[in-house]
Amino acid sequence: MRPAASKRFRVRAGGPIACFTRPEMKAERVSYEVMTPSAARGVLEAILWKPAIRWHIHEIAVLAPVKWTTFRRNEVNSRATVGKFDYAADEDRAQRNTVALSNVDYVITASLTMVPGKAGPEDNVRKFEEMFERRLEKGQYFHAPYLGCREFAARVEPAPADLRPAESEPKRPLGLMFYDFDFGDGEAAVRPVFFEAYLEHGVLKVPPREQVLALEGSHP
C-alpha cells in the first residue's frame, strides 16, 4: 500500500547564480536550463530532512527568464583521500570554464511521505508538515540551501499564491534531464535516473518516482 502523502508545499528558491551540472559535461561545467528535481529535493532537505520522510517533487515553476552567464574559476583535479595527509590543493588546481544560470527564481511544489520501516511510533505526516512549515517560516536550515553547487547560495521562503511563470509557451522540450539517484534495495549499485523533461507554460512537470523507475525497467 502506498504511504499517505502530506499536503503540497510551495517553496520559492532563487539566487544570483545557479549551476545544475549536466553529468555528460562534468569536466567543463554546463548547467541544465532549469533546476533539476534532485536539486529541488536538496533545497527542501536543507530545511527538513529525517530518515523517516522522503520528499517528492511535483512541479518546478520558472519565474524568471532563463539567462546564461560564463566564468572561469580554479578547481582541484582530484578529491582529498581520507587518511592521506600530504595532499596539497595548490599543486592540483586547474582553471575550468562554467556555463551557469544568472538571477534564477523558482517555485518548488512538493510533498513528503513516510518511509516504511524508518518511522518511529510517534512519527506521522502531520508532525513533519508542522516541522517543515515552522522551519521554513523561521528560516531554519540543517545546512545552507544552494542552487546546484554549494557555493551558489539560495534564498528560500514560502511562495505566495499569486506568482506566475515567466514563459507562456505551451510545451518546450528540455531534453533528457537528471531525475535523481536510485539507491535500490541496498544490494544493487546506486545509479542515476533520467527522464524526458518539458517546460509547459513555464512549469517543469516532474513525473512520480515510481513512473520514472518503471520506464527504466526498475522496480520502485
Side-chain angles (χ1 to χ4, degrees):
M1 185 175 67
R2 189 171 183 176
S6 72
K7 65 179 181 181
R8 294 194 174 192
F9 301 99
R10 283 167 48 85
V11 178
R12 187 176 188 179
I17 301 289
C19 185
F20 310 107
T21 306
R22 304 181 71 101
E24 68 270 29
M25 303 177 186
K26 200 169 183 179
E28 300 283 343
R29 292 181 185 274
V30 178
S31 178
Y32 282 108
E33 196 172 336
V34 175
M35 171 188 271
T36 62
S38 174
R41 176 178 59 80
V43 169
L44 300 177
E45 288 183 347
I47 303 168
L48 177 65
W49 180 84
K50 296 287 182 183
I53 65 172
R54 172 179 293 155
W55 283 104
H56 303 270
I57 309 300
H58 303 292
E59 293 180 356
I60 301 173
V62 183
L63 302 184
V66 176
K67 295 181 180 178
W68 298 95
T69 184
T70 61
F71 47 86
R72 299 181 72 85
R73 56 181 177 167
N74 293 326
E75 298 185 8
V76 294
N77 292 315
S78 55
R79 296 180 179 178
T81 303
V82 176
K84 183 180 179 182
F85 302 104
D86 59 348
Y87 177 77
D90 289 344
E91 301 172 358
D92 192 31
R93 283 180 177 167
Q95 196 171 60
R96 292 196 173 97
N97 191 52
T98 297
V99 180
L101 301 165
S102 65
N103 298 320
V104 299
D105 198 359
Y106 304 106
V107 171
I108 303 165
T109 303
S111 63
L112 61 86
T113 58
M114 306 299 295
V115 179
K118 298 289 186 180
E122 297 181 356
D123 291 336
N124 56 69
V125 169
R126 184 56 193 153
K127 168 186 171 181
F128 291 110
E129 285 180 343
E130 293 177 347
M131 288 177 66
F132 180 77
E133 290 173 331
R134 184 171 61 249
R135 293 179 65 83
L136 179 61
E137 287 285 347
K138 293 183 177 180
Q140 296 176 324
Y141 310 121
F142 288 120
H143 59 80
Y146 56 91
L147 299 165
C149 298
R150 287 186 181 273
E151 57 268 42
F152 303 144
R155 177 189 65 255
V156 178
E157 60 189 20
D162 58 347
L163 295 176
R164 295 291 179 269
E167 289 190 21
S168 58
E169 190 172 347
K171 192 171 186 178
R172 184 163 66 86
L174 299 175
L176 204 60
M177 176 178 281
F178 176 61
Y179 185 86
D180 213 330
F181 287 104
D182 176 21
F183 293 94
D185 57 3
E187 298 179 356
V190 177
R191 65 184 185 89
V193 179
F194 297 84
F195 73 111
E196 287 288 344
Y198 295 89
L199 203 61
E200 302 178 39
H201 298 283
V203 178
L204 173 64
K205 304 284 187 181
V206 182
R209 176 175 176 272
E210 295 80 3
Q211 180 180 326
V212 176
L213 292 178
L215 288 174
E216 292 215 347
S218 301
H219 295 290

